[in-house]
Amino acid sequence: MEVRSENIQARCDKVPAQVIPRTRLQGWFVRVCSSILLWTCLVQLVAVGKLWHSHLFTGLTNRVSWVIRPPVHVEEAVQSPPPLLPARNYESKGFLRVSCNGGLNQMRAAICDMVVVARLLNLTLIVPELDKTSFWADPSDFEDIFDVRHFIDSLRDEVKIVKRVPKRFSRKYGHEAFQMPPVSWSNEKYYLEQILPLFNKYKVVHFNRTDSRLANNGIPLDLQRLRCHVNFQGLKFTPEIETLGHKLVQILQRMGPFVALHLRYEMDMLAFSGCTHGCSQEEAEELKQLRYAFPWWREKEIVSEERRQQGLCPLTPEEAALILQALGFDNETQIYIASGEIYGGENRLASLKAAFPRIVSL
């Protein structure tokens, strides 16, 4: 044993002095690599846990997230906007300016159509103008109701949208846009063959009315898809309107389940459709005079009963009560009247309120 120990000692004496520090360095290197590998695995677990929403990873990811980044309150967290899609690269053939008319629903439908027309004809769309001369005389501009920046950015991969016509095409520089209303319920052939040549000639075309909608049937699926994309994603209300809407819904929900009922029984709707069922003679005459007051409402002399038999009249409040009861709603149902002022006021709502006392309206 003593001889063997002496041999080992002799061999150690012969080992160079540089070997010992190098061995320690290798040990530290292994530790650092192991730590990096461990933290990489933990970060991957966090990502996988968030992706799968697995209960198995919930506790682990919460703890790891707390170690990597201390938790913050929801109110303090700033949501980063989604990345923008690449802008569509095309040579614009002109500028399309549109003046929407009608109520908000009609103007919203028109905006969807005009985006599709701009995409079809490779045009640059000017942010639409909203109607200020309708029955409601609402002075709101597009940016007062919709998020303009979101509207432009969310559709940048489909069509270029700008806030105003370039100066070189303005009246100040002697340029007059060609104005016209497009033919109602036209398909893409009409716009390609009759409207596109106008842009080649005038560069700027102003659709001064947009109630003449794009055809709902027969147009390609990609155009229908774009119309839906504009309506459900491109047109986003301003933060103030969205906040008010959420607050209203929360108040209604605290009071229990509710039904949102749009009666379509406002004065302008009845005058436009010529539906006077249940109205007095004086009310029917008042609605007729209103119809004559707006020259762009083409039909003037309308037989109410014929229109009603064709199924073109809105339900009266009395009929709406019967329909709700037939659908199984009881008198404890909370009903939110999601429409404008009902023509005839409280007297016309009496039957509906008798059947459903829990009526809420603004």
Side-chain angles (χ1 to χ4, degrees), residues 19-290:
V19 174
I20 297 176
R22 185 179 301 171
T23 303
R24 292 177 180 175
L25 181 61
Q26 291 174 346
W28 280 106
F29 180 78
V30 171
R31 292 178 183 177
V32 171
C33 291
S34 300
S35 300
I36 294 175
L37 180 61
L38 177 61
W39 279 104
T40 303
C41 292
L42 291 175
V43 172
Q44 291 294 331
L45 284 174
V46 172
V48 172
K50 291 181 178 179
L51 180 63
W52 288 352
H53 294 282
S54 171
H55 296 292
L56 177 64
F57 292 106
T58 300
L60 177 61
T61 55
N62 287 343
R63 289 182 176 85
V64 173
S65 298
W66 188 90
V67 173
I68 298 175
R69 176 177 52 82
V72 296
H73 296 291
V74 177
E75 295 78 11
E76 298 174 359
V78 178
Q79 294 183 351
S80 58
L84 296 178
L85 293 173
R88 177 169 168 253
N89 184 20
Y90 67 98
E91 182 179 352
S92 176
K93 296 181 179 179
F95 296 86
L96 175 59
R97 180 184 164 198
V98 296
S99 295
C100 304
N101 57 293
L104 183 59
N105 288 337
Q106 288 75 21
M107 290 191 291
R108 190 183 186 105
I111 293 170
C112 298
D113 287 341
M114 294 304 105
V115 171
V116 171
V117 170
R119 176 64 173 82
L120 176 66
L121 304 184
N122 291 325
L123 305 173
T124 298
L125 177 67
I126 310 300
V127 171
E129 303 167 3
L130 302 188
D131 191 352
K132 296 181 175 62
T133 61
S134 64
F135 173 77
W136 304 273
D138 189 338
S140 301
D141 291 318
F142 186 97
E143 59 269 21
D144 297 323
I145 298 177
F146 301 110
D147 187 330
V148 179
R149 190 73 261 162
H150 175 81
F151 178 68
I152 295 174
D153 291 341
S154 64
L155 298 170
R156 69 198 302 264
D157 62 321
E158 296 284 358
V159 62
K160 183 177 181 181
I161 304 175
V162 296
K163 293 184 177 180
R164 57 188 63 87
V165 178
K167 290 183 178 179
R168 66 182 184 276
F169 294 118
S170 64
R171 289 182 179 178
K172 181 179 179 181
Y173 290 85
H175 189 277
E176 287 289 338
F178 180 77
Q179 298 193 35
M180 62 167 292
V183 176
S184 300
W185 305 103
S186 300
N187 58 19
E188 76 276 13
K189 182 179 179 181
Y190 163 78
Y191 286 96
L192 287 169
E193 294 183 357
Q194 299 191 42
I195 300 300
L196 183 57
L198 296 176
F199 286 93
N200 296 331
K201 182 177 181 180
Y202 298 102
K203 294 304 179 184
V204 180
V205 175
H206 179 197
F207 287 169
N208 49 18
R209 285 176 53 211
T210 54
D211 58 352
S212 44
R213 300 180 182 178
L214 189 66
N216 284 328
N217 300 311
I219 66 173
L221 182 60
D222 60 326
L223 298 183
Q224 292 283 23
R225 188 181 295 114
L226 176 56
R227 175 190 274 156
C228 295
H229 177 66
V230 179
N231 191 36
F232 293 103
Q233 295 184 1
L235 288 174
K236 180 182 179 183
F237 289 120
T238 61
E240 295 79 8
I241 293 179
E242 285 198 343
T243 299
L244 179 61
H246 288 309
K247 183 178 180 181
L248 178 61
V249 171
Q250 289 173 357
I251 292 174
L252 291 170
Q253 288 176 335
R254 283 199 295 266
M255 299 168 62
F258 68 93
V259 174
L261 177 64
H262 198 314
L263 288 173
R264 302 292 291 166
Y265 207 78
E266 301 98 329
M267 184 177 185
D268 68 299
M269 178 61 188
L270 298 179
F272 176 77
S273 64
C275 298
T276 58
H277 179 76
C279 296
S280 65
Q281 187 64 35
E282 291 76 13
E283 289 174 331
E285 184 62 28
E286 182 181 33
L287 294 174
K288 180 179 179 180
Q289 293 302 320
L290 178 61

Side-chain angles (χ1 to χ4, degrees), residues 296-314:
W296 51 87
W297 289 359
R298 298 178 183 177
E299 291 188 86
K300 302 302 181 183
E301 292 295 331
I302 300 176
V303 180
S304 177
E305 291 306 317
E306 291 181 0
R307 184 61 59 90
R308 182 175 169 83
Q309 290 175 3
Q310 295 170 356
L312 301 177
C313 289

